[in-house]
Amino acid sequence: MPTTTSTAPSRLLVTAFAAGLLLALLGLAGCGSDEQGASPTSQDAGASGERISLVDEGDALRWGDGSYGVVLAHGAAFDAASWQEQAVAIAEQGATVVAVEDLTAEAMAAAVERLREDGAEEVALVGGSAGADAALRLLSERPDLVDRVVTLSANSVVEGLGEQPKLFIASEDEPVAEVSEQLAATAPGDDNEVLLLPGSDHAQHLFDGDQAEAALDALLRALDRR
């Protein structure tokens, strides 16, 4: 009898303790899912870009849903995601922005066509370094493909461009600074500009250096269609 009496309360205590512990663990799991396991908000997803397919699956990132389009072509040491800060700022001006992964004419042309199919009234093409060279080569073959062009530290002069407005940005002390000046002087059209910023930062590195604000402001002004 004493054995039976002493064992029952112990079992009850153990059961109660286990139940309380289980409830506590479930509560902690619920809290954790709100902070870490929950799906990102639409704002977060927009900030990091939406992965889309152009030529191959998942070969571009997209931001925004505006009335005009901007295609971004990165430098050789970068990727599509490297444009995130600039893409978000451009999208906030009312643009739909697509950054390509592959620096091929096919990928860039597909991005332009996708934006036009989605209703973009105008499309601009922006390239940095290797991306600038690829964009200019494409435009030498299809000069009327886009409505506006911006390059960051283009490495070579390309002939056969269109009449659209163009902005050629570079750092004044980098070796290829003269290329931007020559492009502005020789490209067709009456609305070609060159902007040489202090320092020697090359292409997208401009956005990380001392001239980051000036470079971004110039880019946004050139692309703003509001």
Side-chain angles (χ1 to χ4, degrees), residues 1 11 13 20 23 34 37 39 41 43-44 49 59 77 80 110 131 139 150 175 199 202 205 213 226:
M1 183 67 66
R11 290 177 178 172
L13 288 173
L23 289 173
D34 289 339
S39 299
T41 64
Q43 181 177 1
D44 293 335
D59 57 359
L139 295 177
V150 180
H202 182 69
H205 290 295
E213 183 176 353
R226 292 175 297 182

Side-chain angles (χ1 to χ4, degrees), residues 54 60-61 68-74 83 90 95-100 102 107-116 122-128 135 138 145-146 148 150 223:
L54 296 172
L61 288 173
Y68 69 99
V70 177
V71 176
L72 304 175
H74 60 81
W83 289 107
I90 297 168
T96 302
V97 185
V98 173
V100 296
D102 297 327
M108 287 184 286
V112 173
E113 291 164 6
R114 169 72 69 84
L115 287 166
R116 293 201 187 280
E122 295 184 10
V123 178
L125 181 54
V126 179
L138 170 62
L145 179 65
V146 298
R148 190 168 296 268
V150 180
L223 299 176

Side-chain angles (χ1 to χ4, degrees), residues 56-94:
D56 297 314
E57 184 176 353
D59 57 359
L61 288 173
R62 175 174 175 153
W63 294 262
D65 188 22
S67 60
Y68 69 99
V70 177
V71 176
L72 304 175
H74 60 81
F78 295 86
D79 59 10
S82 66
W83 289 107
Q84 177 176 325
E85 182 179 349
Q86 296 78 46
V88 170
I90 297 168
E92 288 176 347
Q93 292 188 154

Side-chain angles (χ1 to χ4, degrees), residues 167-214:
L167 172 62
F168 304 100
I169 303 174
S171 293
E172 59 186 5
D173 294 331
E174 64 174 320
V176 297
E178 291 184 0
V179 172
S180 292
E181 293 181 302
Q182 293 178 36
L183 283 166
T186 61
D190 299 326
D191 193 6
N192 299 324
E193 298 181 43
V194 60
L195 173 62
L196 298 183
L197 296 169
S200 58
D201 290 326
H202 182 69
Q204 286 169 263
H205 290 295
L206 278 163
F207 299 119
D208 299 320
D210 294 338
Q211 300 302 313
E213 183 176 353

